[in-house]
Amino acid sequence: MDKEMKRTTGCQAYANTRFLYYINEIRSAVLIVHGEKAHSRYFGESAFRYMMDGKAEGYDFARKPNPVPENQQLLIVPGASHCDLYDGGGKGLIPWDNIEEFLKKNLKR
């Protein structure tokens, strides 16, 4: 065949998985960091809400609230986009102090 083969990548395969199904049972420390302007911010906020209270938008079930809510945190970084938080974006927006504080508080030596 002489036709050029085109491929598309995406995250559609994950849309049908239940990777959030038991998130409310996590007892380990969890820090979810999103930029205020990130296109995926809604997902982190939804996951955090479900992790804390056991109710998720778009799911037809409700679970019990998280048994250890004090070691879980959602951090929204003002002015940051998605890319600013993994490569710095040259803007110095990665919240190193907040991350260090969370780790010191929640990791045992």
Side-chain angles (χ1 to χ4, degrees):
M1 297 184 149
D2 293 330
K3 293 184 179 181
E4 182 181 333
M5 187 176 217
K6 294 184 180 184
R7 294 182 184 212
T8 303
T9 58
C11 61
Q12 293 83 2
Y14 292 111
N16 294 321
T17 62
R18 294 182 177 228
F19 54 89
L20 293 178
Y21 201 76
Y22 297 104
I23 194 172
N24 64 310
E25 297 177 12
I26 295 175
R27 293 174 181 268
S28 302
V30 175
L31 174 62
I32 297 175
V33 182
H34 268 285
E36 175 186 36
K37 298 177 181 179
H39 66 279
S40 57
R41 177 180 170 183
Y42 77 94
F43 186 80
E45 290 175 331
S46 295
F48 183 75
R49 272 195 308 275
Y50 180 46
M51 182 172 56
M52 298 304 286
D53 64 23
K55 298 176 186 137
E57 296 173 22
Y59 285 86
D60 60 353
F61 61 86
R63 304 258 185 225
K64 294 178 183 177
N66 194 288
V68 191
E70 61 275 359
N71 69 351
Q72 297 166 8
Q73 181 182 342
L74 173 65
L75 176 59
I76 303 297
V77 181
S81 71
H82 178 80
C83 297
D84 292 332
L85 297 178
Y86 68 81
D87 71 1
K91 301 174 188 172
L93 293 174
I94 298 174
W96 295 117
D97 292 341
N98 298 88
I99 294 169
E100 181 180 13
E101 179 183 330
F102 180 84
L103 294 174
K104 284 180 177 179
K105 177 183 170 191
N106 293 291
L107 295 180
K108 296 179 182 178
R109 293 180 188 247

